[in-house]
Amino acid sequence: MLQIYNTLNRRKEPFEPLKAGHVGLYVCGVTVYDECHVGHGRVMIVYDVLFRHLQAAGYAVNYVRNITDVDDKIIKRAAENNVTPAQLSQRYIDEMHADERALNVLPPTHEPRATESIKSMVRIIGQLIDSGHAYAADNGDVFYSVKSFPDYGKLSGRKIDELRAGERVAVDEYKRDPLDFVLWKASKPDEPSWESPWGNGRPGWHIECSAMSMDLLGEEFDIHGGGADLQFPHHENEIAQSEALTCGRFARYWMHNGLVRIGEEKMSKSLNNFLTIRDVLAQYSGEEIRAFIISSHYRSPLNYTSDALLAARTALRRFYTALRGRPVPRDTLLNGPLADSTVLDAGYVERFEAAMNDDLNTPEALAVLHELANTLNKEAETDSERSIRLASTLVHLGGRLGILEKDPEVVLQGESDGEGPSAEEIEALISERRTAREARDFARSDQIRDELAARGVVLEDAGGKTTWRRD
RNA sequence: GGCUGAGUGGCAGAGUGGCUAUGCACCGGAUUGCAAAUCCGUUUACCUCGGUUCGACUCCGGGCUCAGCCUCCA
């Protein structure tokens, strides 16, 4: 039974979907005005792991992750680059998709763009005005009236009075109350705009998510996720808008992933201390980044350090080394339901499931994989039934986390980066070294090994055979 | 100042009211011509002060420190 930590109630709760066998999952995606950084990568990966886990548990998952493609920053950046906002956002949507492929993130079921749901937003705003939860100001902006919603603050544990006390936002003269937030913004002449009963304008950020989630998942749905920094005010506002509108419940489970830090500080655009996914991919593989992300629990803060990335690399190498040379039916294990579960080791699968069901405890799940690798390494026979079963289990469970899906040989031997020796050259040198060793010419043998090591190739003699990998 | 949450061995990072997390690093051993990889074994811990308890790192309270949010933010 899956337990999920629900921010709404500040505790782990058994997950029970609204409709048996189905899960509606909404995650706040990115505003596309720049390349994604590691923090965005964490969101992609955390909810991808959830998506995979729910599917493995047999649920039909409707996973919606939105794209905010209308926003002040997009407009500003587009003007700076002399392109239209639509062109700019399309460019970064493409970049984001490329990043996701590199990180082995499955495409969500739906990836709505805010600009495609403007009609719904206008309709919702109209209804909120009619029901007294919103008001149009003289300048064409429409605001949500926070004090019209008694439950305001239930997600973040705040009270309206406390918020007022800590008030430090410059007060907008058109707001009736400083805490009110914008639903619709009147547009300036050369900005993208849509018609509305309150004049030409564009939607506020919070209303976008209410509209897109309702369009694709209905008024009430199962899980809403996003970064911890969105808890307030964004998610609080989503609840206020949506529940005021429907007089019912909005999302049942709220999940928040911890933030990625760099130097003990949140990684973010505004602090200008971020590394893009692209930056990191120059040095580490997508799989290594993914292993780094899942090495800590999703709710914990995660420090970005080269040591941590290196540790992820070492861990993956250990797994792939254990799998090396062991014949496993990879396609069957990774794609679709397992025809015959007897090919897997039930004990390890069970422990893995237990870890994942405990609020997606991926560090614990990885610990299970490490123990599995250890057991596997003790199995000398590469093609014994037991070896194949253990290796299959490792590949299958790795796949559940989106790792270990590659051919070990390809990962370990890698691509020559142009600098390093080619596979042919390496094989030739290994052959020469074998001759030297047979003649007990260890000086020559070691010289060849040292030279290859200096060029990034490690030789390993085991079982009378020499294998190699790039370091 | 207010609201969340966190403080575990050299590092990363789980977990539990009494019993080995796991990985890396370190040390010793096996294996190897020597290595590498692998295996075996050892060492290092639970911020602080009180309380509850037969017993707390684990529960409760105070304190200290850190992070996030209170402004766009994944």
Side-chain angles (χ1 to χ4, degrees):
Chain A
M1 181 71 173
L2 173 61
Q3 302 266 333
I4 289 179
Y5 183 89
N6 189 351
T7 307
L8 212 44
N9 300 317
R10 311 266 163 201
R11 61 165 181 260
K12 284 184 203 170
E13 298 176 346
F15 175 69
E16 288 168 34
L18 266 175
K19 188 178 164 198
H22 293 259
V23 177
L25 168 65
Y26 184 90
V27 172
C28 290
V30 307
T31 301
V32 282
Y33 69 98
D34 203 346
E35 284 182 19
C36 292
H37 64 234
V38 181
H40 299 115
R42 190 174 192 191
V43 173
M44 296 169 184
I45 290 168
V46 162
Y47 296 103
D48 182 60
V49 168
L50 174 65
F51 185 35
R52 289 170 190 256
H53 185 61
L54 288 168
Q55 287 182 310
Y59 291 110
V61 185
N62 189 177
Y63 175 21
V64 179
R65 193 190 53 209
N66 77 292
I67 293 171
T68 296
D69 62 346
V70 52
D71 164 271
D72 288 346
K73 286 173 182 164
I74 295 173
I75 294 167
K76 182 165 172 265
R77 189 64 71 90
E80 286 166 8
N81 288 286
N82 235 1
V83 295
T84 65
Q87 287 169 326
L88 186 94
S89 48
Q90 186 56 53
R91 177 184 152 196
Y92 287 117
I93 288 169
D94 293 341
E95 302 269 9
M96 177 181 78
H97 287 152
D99 289 339
E100 289 185 289
R101 284 191 293 276
L103 297 175
N104 197 22
V105 168
L106 301 170
T109 321
H110 294 286
E111 220 175 14
R113 303 182 186 194
T115 53
E116 295 165 349
S117 291
I118 304 277
K119 261 192 192 153
S120 303
M121 297 174 206
V122 170
R123 176 180 52 78
I124 293 170
I125 294 169
Q127 289 175 343
L128 287 173
I129 292 176
D130 293 345
S131 60
H133 290 287
Y135 56 93
D138 294 340
N139 66 343
D141 288 354
V142 179
F143 294 101
Y144 185 92
S145 174
V146 166
K147 67 169 185 282
S148 76
F149 186 70
D151 269 352
Y152 194 79
K154 70 174 176 180
L155 178 69
S156 54
R158 289 163 217 237
K159 298 187 175 66
I160 292 180
D161 293 344
E162 287 163 351
L163 287 163
R164 206 155 272 143
E167 188 67 54
R168 36 177 236 214
V169 200
V171 181
D172 186 321
E173 55 178 314
Y174 294 100
K175 287 184 186 177
R176 290 182 191 165
D177 186 298
L179 295 175
D180 291 349
F181 57 90
V182 72
L183 295 170
W184 187 260
K185 272 179 129 149
S187 56
K188 300 192 184 99
D190 50 353
E191 290 177 351
S193 72
W194 289 263
E195 287 179 16
S196 85
W198 320 285
N200 284 15
R202 57 196 156 86
W205 178 40
H206 313 299
I207 197 67
E208 296 175 6
C209 285
S210 289
M212 286 185 270
S213 60
M214 283 191 209
D215 282 353
L216 290 158
L217 297 172
E219 294 182 348
E220 183 178 3
F221 57 91
D222 298 297
I223 306 173
H224 189 132
D229 53 350
L230 298 187
Q231 209 177 107
F232 188 91
H234 187 235
H235 292 160
E236 201 70 71
N237 292 353
E238 275 186 60
I239 292 174
Q241 295 160 345
S242 306
E243 299 196 345
L245 181 83
T246 65
C247 298
R249 268 179 93 180
F250 184 47
R252 296 157 60 87
Y253 298 85
W254 284 85
M255 295 177 71
H256 291 96
N257 60 279
L259 303 180
V260 175
R261 293 191 210 163
I262 188 158
E264 299 298 316
E265 204 177 33
K266 171 186 174 179
M267 178 183 286
S268 75
K269 296 271 175 67
S270 39
L271 291 170
N272 204 252
N273 61 355
F274 62 94
L275 280 168
T276 65
I277 294 170
R278 209 61 56 86
D279 291 336
V280 183
L281 281 171
Q283 247 187 305
Y284 301 94
S285 71
E287 188 172 25
E288 286 163 351
I289 298 172
R290 194 172 172 106
F292 159 65
I293 299 282
I294 63 177
S295 71
S296 79
H297 185 84
Y298 77 90
R299 280 191 284 119
S300 303
L302 177 59
N303 258 74
Y304 182 94
T305 62
S306 54
D307 278 357
L309 268 295
L310 253 14
R313 170 173 293 173
T314 306
L316 285 174
R317 184 155 63 212
R318 177 173 156 81
F319 290 135
Y320 277 118
T321 301
L323 290 171
R324 197 174 201 182
R326 299 184 194 265
V328 297
R330 308 188 75 85
D331 289 347
T332 348
L333 292 166
L334 295 169
N335 302 318
L338 294 170
D340 179 5
S341 63
T342 58
V343 300
L344 299 181
D345 183 289
Y348 284 111
V349 171
E350 199 175 304
R351 289 177 58 200
F352 179 90
E353 296 291 356
M356 293 299 285
N357 280 335
D358 182 15
D359 195 31
L360 302 182
N361 192 338
T362 53
E364 182 68 30
L366 283 174
V368 173
L369 295 197
H370 272 112
E371 289 182 38
L372 172 50
N374 175 265
T375 308
L376 179 57
N377 279 331
K378 287 182 225 174
E379 194 65 26
E381 293 271 335
T382 54
D383 53 2
S384 69
E385 193 187 315
R386 181 175 156 80
S387 163
I388 292 171
R389 189 172 62 248
L390 290 168
S392 298
T393 308
L394 183 52
V395 169
H396 175 254
L397 296 181
R400 295 273 304 271
L401 296 169
I403 58 173
L404 308 184
E405 297 188 351
K406 297 175 182 161
D407 181 336
E409 219 57 51
V410 172
V411 173
L412 294 168
Q413 299 193 337
E415 302 271 321
S416 174
D417 54 8
E419 303 279 310
S422 67
E424 292 72 28
E425 190 185 345
I426 294 167
E427 296 294 350
L429 285 166
I430 287 176
S431 169
E432 187 190 336
R433 177 165 169 274
R434 188 187 312 120
T435 310
R437 291 180 79 204
E438 278 162 5
R440 303 197 66 78
D441 180 359
F442 295 123
R444 176 58 188 150
S445 164
D446 291 350
Q447 185 191 11
I448 290 170
R449 190 172 63 198
D450 292 345
E451 280 173 9
L452 280 172
R455 298 169 75 189
V457 176
V458 179
L459 298 190
E460 292 169 356
D461 301 320
K465 283 193 68 179
T466 299
T467 55
W468 61 275
R469 61 179 165 86
R470 293 186 203 273
D471 205 12

